[in-house]
Amino acid sequence: MATKAEIDTRLEALHVRMKENSLAGHWQERQRRPDLVPWVWEWATIRECLEESGEVIKLGGVNDAANRRTVQLINPNLTEAKATTRTLQMSVQLVKPGEVAECHRHRATALRFAVESTGTYTTVEGERMVMEPGDLILTPNWKWHDHTNNTDGPAVWLDVLDGHLVTHLDATGRENFSEGTTQPITKPDGYSRKRFGAMRPDTSDIDDVALLPYSYKWVDAKATLESMAEAGEASDYDGVILEYTNPVTGGPTMPTIGCWAQMLRPGETTRAHRHTGSTIYHVVGGAGVTTVGRGSEATELTWGEHDCFFVPSWGWHEHRNTSKTEPAYIFSVTDRPVLQALHLHREERA
Ligand code: GTQ
């Protein structure tokens, strides 16, 4: 029988030999990545940093100008990766009057959710999609897109991209539009919403209907939430909630990013649940508190108008509208469609 000391010596030698040969034992330790932190980004701070970036960062054109001017929301445990979550990035973009953010496309999927805008538009695959506050515009992967602010006020919107997921999958790719700063406008305004919105169109000319350029108006989302609230259609766990869907497939907005709009009625507190898939929230209006985790581990995220906050995957959470008189409206994005596609979506209710 080998002694403990002999075994230890041989084990150490084995570890060295394996390391030299790019091998490792299952029993050996590895670096664990940290859990993500529930977090709130206050709008006032984001907006001030964005305003300042507007003074010092030039957009478009030549030399040191950036191709996009955004302030990125970072999870405190993802500072090196510069990421909001391990799959999604939420950033806030500023395009000043007269500015253009040049045309390109990439294999990262993106969306815009307008915060301040009076008529600035994103052109997606030849269609101008005008942004009014709360409007949602999809830029599925590999669709040409550029942004034009022809108005006399700043345009500010949330960008959400699945770039971290795409990078993780080694599937990145991008291309600049070579025939100018912006792409030609080839479709009438409202084209996608009219063609795909109400009746079932013939889509046999479309390569992949899961990747439709599309836009959704906030007036519609809000009116729907209000009529659902009136009818008492609500979830104990989410309040009055709607998922934005692809108008042709009925599935999620895009294969990698799901979008939701919800209303917490005055004074409403939801029941706690948790699920796989992480969620980034943006408060369209109202004020409240979201409790993440339970017992001594609980964190209270206090939020108000335009703030953004994050609930990690598998984190218990419940929302409370702290106003007794006003509803709270929240837009959120999630990587749930990916988890569903991989049969990894799970939910547990308290
Ligand atoms: O506006 O096309 O936040 O390409 C990151 C990458 C925005 C955009 C981002 C982008 C864009």
Side-chain angles (χ1 to χ4, degrees):
M1 274 289 279
T3 65
K4 169 92 167 62
E6 282 165 346
I7 293 283
D8 283 352
T9 307
R10 286 172 64 181
L11 193 55
E12 210 172 300
L14 175 62
H15 288 168
V16 169
R17 178 162 187 209
M18 287 198 295
K19 191 167 186 208
E20 284 167 359
N21 289 283
S22 299
L23 300 168
H26 182 84
W27 59 88
Q28 288 186 277
E29 271 191 22
R30 70 183 156 98
Q31 235 185 348
R32 301 263 162 198
R33 51 187 211 175
D35 289 340
L36 299 191
V37 188
W39 202 253
V40 182
W41 296 267
E42 280 182 17
W43 184 254
T45 311
I46 300 171
R47 190 64 185 81
E48 281 162 27
C49 292
L50 195 60
E51 193 67 25
E52 182 64 11
S53 78
E55 306 283 322
V56 294
I57 298 293
K58 288 202 268 312
L59 194 60
V62 286
N63 298 329
D64 57 348
N67 69 351
R68 294 294 188 265
R69 184 195 291 116
T70 74
V71 167
Q72 302 175 321
L73 310 188
I74 307 297
N75 191 280
N77 278 347
L78 292 175
T79 49
E80 270 165 52
K82 222 151 77 66
T84 322
T85 82
R86 291 196 169 93
T87 52
L88 302 183
Q89 179 62 43
M90 183 181 278
S91 308
V92 186
Q93 182 160 175
L94 169 65
V95 179
K96 297 196 290 185
E99 286 184 335
V100 168
E102 69 209 36
C103 188
H104 65 198
R105 63 180 178 182
H106 32 68
R107 279 202 286 271
T109 276
L111 62 82
R112 330 279 154 204
F113 187 85
V115 182
E116 284 171 46
S117 170
T118 53
T120 289
Y121 58 87
T122 291
T123 307
V124 190
E125 293 285 302
E127 179 179 344
R128 294 190 329 164
M129 296 190 174
V130 173
M131 287 188 253
E132 295 175 288
D135 291 353
L136 170 64
I137 292 173
L138 308 185
T139 313
N141 85 56
W142 214 242
K143 305 298 181 202
W144 293 112
H145 56 283
D146 49 80
H147 317 302
T148 302
N149 183 351
N150 278 340
T151 72
D152 48 21
V156 174
W157 63 79
L158 307 176
D159 289 314
V160 179
L161 286 95
D162 65 359
H164 303 302
L165 175 67
V166 175
T167 299
H168 199 74
L169 297 171
D170 285 326
T172 55
R174 58 168 288 133
E175 200 170 80
N176 285 327
F177 189 66
S178 59
E179 290 144 51
T181 311
T182 59
Q183 63 190 296
I185 293 158
T186 57
K187 296 169 184 163
D189 286 358
Y191 166 84
S192 295
R193 283 160 41 72
K194 291 189 186 96
R195 178 168 174 198
F196 305 113
M199 286 170 274
R200 183 163 224 164
D202 173 8
T203 52
S204 54
D205 61 318
I206 291 168
D207 192 40
D208 185 350
V209 290
L211 301 176
L212 278 190
Y214 200 68
S215 70
Y216 308 79
K217 300 302 283 181
W218 178 250
V219 287
D220 297 334
K222 184 166 186 262
T224 308
L225 291 172
E226 281 163 356
S227 43
M228 287 170 71
E230 240 171 83
E233 286 173 31
S235 142
D236 288 347
Y237 300 89
D238 294 299
V240 182
I241 188 156
L242 280 175
E243 182 176 5
Y244 293 82
T245 57
N246 174 303
V248 176
T249 66
T253 48
M254 297 184 289
T256 50
I257 312 178
C259 297
W260 299 76
Q262 73 196 93
M263 180 213 274
L264 302 174
R265 292 159 292 182
E268 180 166 9
T269 300
T270 62
R271 295 179 64 181
H273 70 157
R274 63 176 178 176
H275 45 71
T276 53
S278 47
T279 313
I280 315 168
Y281 298 85
H282 168 77
V283 182
V284 178
V289 175
T290 296
T291 305
V292 184
R294 293 202 294 189
S296 59
E297 305 271 276
T299 306
E300 299 227 309
L301 306 177
T302 302
W303 41 261
E305 191 181 41
H306 298 335
D307 291 347
C308 300
F309 62 98
F310 171 67
V311 176
S313 181
W314 209 238
W316 289 104
H317 56 282
E318 61 182 70
H319 307 293
R320 186 164 88 248
N321 178 353
T322 46
S323 168
K324 295 273 175 274
T325 53
E326 298 302 315
Y329 293 96
I330 305 174
F331 170 73
S332 62
V333 293
T334 162
D335 53 12
R336 180 183 298 192
V338 178
L339 291 142
Q340 281 171 324
L342 301 179
H343 300 259
L344 287 169
H345 177 68
R346 299 285 188 284
E347 184 193 2
E348 192 180 339
R349 298 176 165 189

